[in-house]
Amino acid sequence: MTPPSPPITVTQPYLPPLEEFIPYLEQIWESKRLTNGGPFHQQLETELARYLGVDHLSLFANGTLALVTALQALRITGEVITTPYTFAATAHSLLWNNIKPVFVDIDPHTCNLDPDRIEEAITPATTAILPVHCYGIPCDVERIERIADTYGLKVIYDAAHAFGVRQDGESILRHGDLSILSFHATKVFNTFEGGAIICPDAKIKQRIDYLKNFGFADEVTVVAPGINGKMNEVQAAMGLLQLRHIDEAMNTRAVIYQRYREVLQDIPTLKLITLPDDIVWNHAYCPIFVDRAHPVSRNRIYDQLKEHDIHARRYFYPLLSAFPMYRGLPSANPTRLPNAHRLAQQVLCLPLYPTLEKTEQMTIIDIIRRSAQ
Ligand SMILES: *Cc1c(COP(=O)(O)O)cnc(C)c1O
């Protein structure tokens, strides 16, 4: 087989036609409004809230600053319960706030924080839970809310993967005290870099808006030691343009995912993610889990794809709890995180993006199918 060229990566940023972006840039040049809540920023906040089906949101320069600021906005301290099966930013945002992460194992079917394991990890120092809707699959939001209410804890969802995901007809972003999104280039919806905090009411949005702008409430009043987390006008313009194409991009993702699913679900030693039937998913990722009984290992499949210049990714391997700044924590002990460790050994995220060609995808499917023989 001739290797496809150029290389196929796990994702490719969705870029709308360049000529559609030029008028936005001309407007920015004309108005000389580059940042600080300019017109595109304001318009994107309004349009995104409507698109996502949430009441308020505050745009950020990236998702990590949104996470760090969300923790500040709710004055979270002490210990926070979170998942090891996620991207570095989730727990790093805790360390940036001097908060101790407490890792809890995941449910192997959803890859999300296991609600059965949360209560035993609560101590007098616990102030919040920071779950992740991993791969855009919703956490068990009802049970998490019940636990949080019982123990008086806040809940901040890292919803970086969950753009546009709905459950029972409602945005998944409406749960918890706050949710954060990432609009990084690799995500379903991108503004080059970017992010947002979803806010349930105007009051908390106001506080977050101050915090992302150094704490300035007006020209002479600084109400908090804020940070610079503002999204600029070029990013916001990109967001407005992306919104015009996002439904089509997500539909194409769904078609590609289904094509993987149709073939791979027949291979008994490979597992796909379990999709709850009450959700509208965004097809953000295509994780497959390679069973021990599969003829070749996960890493061997990863290498075989690489030999064809196809770059799948092992999201999330290594686990966050194995990073040097976390592995000394008692909760990072692998014996306490058996599901997370097993899935980190088994997972492989296959290339999935709107411009992935069918022939390219068939090459990927072929390699994986042959690995099963
Ligand atoms: C991408 C991502 C982030 C960080 O977002 P950035 O916009 O890249 O800062 C946080 N959490 C998770 C789970 C992510 O995948």
Side-chain angles (χ1 to χ4, degrees):
M1 205 181 314
T2 42
S5 58
I8 300 173
T9 44
V10 72
T11 188
Q12 240 183 48
Y14 180 75
L15 288 168
L18 181 58
E19 63 270 21
E20 291 182 23
F21 196 49
I22 305 295
Y24 289 92
L25 293 177
E26 285 170 346
Q27 241 177 284
I28 292 169
W29 258 247
E30 178 79 21
S31 70
K32 299 188 166 55
R33 294 287 302 272
L34 307 187
T35 184
N36 284 39
F40 288 145
H41 176 281
Q42 299 312 93
Q43 192 186 342
L44 184 59
E45 283 197 347
T46 307
E47 288 193 19
L48 256 184
R50 192 181 312 137
Y51 179 83
L52 294 168
V54 299
D55 295 322
H56 304 276
L57 63 83
S58 180
L59 293 171
F60 274 78
N62 62 61
T64 304
L65 278 168
L67 263 175
V68 168
T69 306
L71 292 160
Q72 288 270 328
L74 298 179
R75 298 186 172 87
I76 306 299
T77 56
E79 295 179 4
V80 169
I81 290 169
T82 191
T83 167
Y85 193 81
T86 180
F87 181 63
T90 311
H92 282 3
S93 71
L94 297 172
L95 290 197
W96 274 73
N97 279 294
N98 260 317
I99 296 164
K100 182 176 166 189
V102 175
F103 295 109
V104 161
D105 204 11
I106 56 172
D107 174 326
H109 303 290
T110 63
C111 302
N112 290 327
L113 213 49
D114 183 349
D116 283 334
R117 305 252 81 97
I118 293 176
E119 284 188 84
E120 65 200 28
I122 296 173
T123 76
T126 310
T127 58
I129 309 172
L130 176 58
V132 178
H133 300 300
C134 193
Y135 308 130
I137 306 293
C139 293
D140 190 337
V141 289
E142 262 146 46
R143 286 195 57 201
I144 289 172
E145 186 176 330
R146 238 177 293 141
I147 294 167
D149 286 349
T150 305
Y151 292 86
L153 307 176
K154 301 281 190 200
V155 181
I156 298 175
Y157 283 104
D158 181 341
H161 300 174
F163 184 93
V165 174
R166 303 176 79 85
Q167 187 163 37
D168 293 327
E170 206 183 56
S171 172
I172 195 67
L173 305 171
R174 297 181 73 89
H175 293 275
D177 293 279
L178 297 171
S179 289
I180 77 98
L181 287 172
S182 165
F183 309 143
H184 184 258
T186 55
K187 305 299 206 276
V188 167
F189 174 90
N190 87 78
T191 57
F192 305 111
E193 294 250 17
I197 303 180
I198 311 298
C199 317
D201 60 62
K203 200 166 148 222
I204 183 88
K205 172 172 161 53
Q206 178 72 268
R207 181 167 161 73
I208 287 166
D209 285 346
Y210 294 157
L211 282 174
K212 77 175 176 192
N213 188 28
F214 311 99
F216 279 108
D218 61 43
E219 215 180 304
V220 291
T221 321
V222 182
V223 295
I227 200 164
N228 181 1
K230 301 186 302 292
M231 175 181 277
N232 70 47
E233 286 291 277
V234 179
Q235 290 173 291
M238 180 68 165
L240 288 168
L241 183 53
Q242 291 278 1
L243 263 186
R244 307 213 314 235
H245 295 274
I246 189 69
D247 285 334
E248 197 192 330
M250 292 216 280
N251 288 341
T252 312
R253 282 181 171 277
V255 170
I256 295 168
Y257 186 85
Q258 285 314 326
R259 209 179 282 141
Y260 275 130
R261 186 172 186 86
E262 263 159 41
V263 180
L264 301 180
Q265 71 184 358
D266 293 334
I267 303 174
T269 47
L270 294 181
K271 220 177 95 244
L272 288 134
I273 193 94
T274 317
L275 291 174
D277 47 17
D278 56 352
I279 70 161
V280 178
W281 191 36
N282 59 8
H283 303 87
Y285 299 89
C286 181
I288 61 168
F289 302 91
V290 183
D291 200 272
R292 278 198 199 88
H294 196 73
V296 302
S297 69
R298 183 272 311 268
N299 287 349
R300 184 73 197 110
I301 300 176
Y302 172 82
D303 290 338
Q304 284 170 346
L305 289 167
K306 220 172 197 172
E307 283 158 20
H308 290 79
D309 218 6
I310 297 162
H311 303 270
R313 292 291 292 271
R314 291 164 288 194
Y315 293 143
F316 289 96
Y317 167 85
L319 287 182
L320 211 52
S321 49
F323 289 10
M325 63 296 289
Y326 301 110
R327 65 183 171 220
L329 294 169
S331 67
N333 190 326
T335 60
R336 297 193 183 200
L337 307 167
N339 294 331
H341 274 272
R342 181 165 53 82
L343 295 190
Q345 292 300 325
Q346 296 185 339
V347 72
L348 194 60
C349 280
L350 303 180
L352 174 57
Y353 48 89
T355 51
L356 182 68
E357 298 285 342
K358 189 172 175 183
T359 51
E360 296 175 322
Q361 191 183 6
M362 293 321 288
T363 306
I364 298 164
I365 287 174
D366 250 27
I367 293 166
I368 293 169
R369 213 199 246 138
R370 275 186 288 124
S371 81
Q373 287 158 4

